[in-house]
Amino acid sequence: MEANNNVSDENCKKGFVPDVEEEDVETLKRRISSHPLYGLLIQSHLNCLKVSLGEVGEVGTTDAANLNQATIPSSSSELDLFMEAYCAILSKLKEDIEEPVKETESFIDATYVQLRELREDAPK
């Protein structure tokens, strides 16, 4: 019985969900990659990465605007709800990452202005 648990643990570590066939995983991957929100999900993820690397500002249009414009069937499935929630969370994460970066840039800009003023006011 313990050997069975080890196999199960190894599968979980590799990203496999117990009781899910490999075919089901591939089908799920295809469903996700063909979902109407997949492009927005990728763009939102890239925006988070770019902001975390110090590139403040929008890359393309806003994620929230794209989420509102995306066409999702009226009968939302679990995948639809997941994709919507994931995109919204990534958008919020981007904003949360971006805020301290903007504050830091603002502080640095103000410091440069003060240093420039001190230099200009200094006797020559």
Side-chain angles (χ1 to χ4, degrees):
M1 189 129 160
E2 191 171 309
N4 226 0
N5 286 340
N6 289 339
V7 171
S8 178
D9 289 342
E10 286 179 28
N11 286 338
C12 288
K13 289 177 186 174
K14 292 179 184 176
F16 294 105
V17 179
D19 300 329
V20 176
E21 297 294 322
E22 191 170 329
E23 292 174 10
D24 293 338
V25 171
E26 291 303 316
T27 301
L28 184 57
K29 286 180 183 179
R30 281 193 300 277
R31 283 186 58 211
I32 290 171
S33 64
S34 66
H35 194 275
L37 290 177
Y38 184 72
L40 177 61
L41 182 106
I42 296 299
Q43 187 63 46
S44 298
H45 183 76
L46 290 174
N47 285 342
C48 285
L49 292 174
K50 288 179 180 182
V51 168
S52 67
L53 293 172
E55 296 180 24
V56 177
E58 290 299 322
V59 179
T61 57
T62 62
D63 298 334
N66 286 337
L67 184 56
N68 291 335
Q69 293 174 352
T71 55
I72 300 173
S74 59
S75 60
S76 296
S77 68
E78 284 184 33
L79 180 59
D80 295 336
L81 297 174
F82 169 78
M83 296 292 280
E84 285 179 34
Y86 197 21
C87 288
I89 288 169
L90 285 173
S91 179
K92 176 71 173 124
L93 176 63
K94 178 184 156 277
E95 291 171 9
D96 290 346
I97 294 170
E98 200 170 37
E99 185 178 335
V101 173
K102 284 182 178 179
E103 289 174 3
T104 301
E105 285 182 348
S106 177
F107 173 78
I108 291 171
D109 290 343
T111 303
Y112 280 135
V113 168
Q114 290 175 352
L115 288 171
R116 201 172 306 121
E117 289 173 355
L118 284 173
R119 190 183 68 207
E120 291 171 2
D121 292 342
K124 295 179 183 182

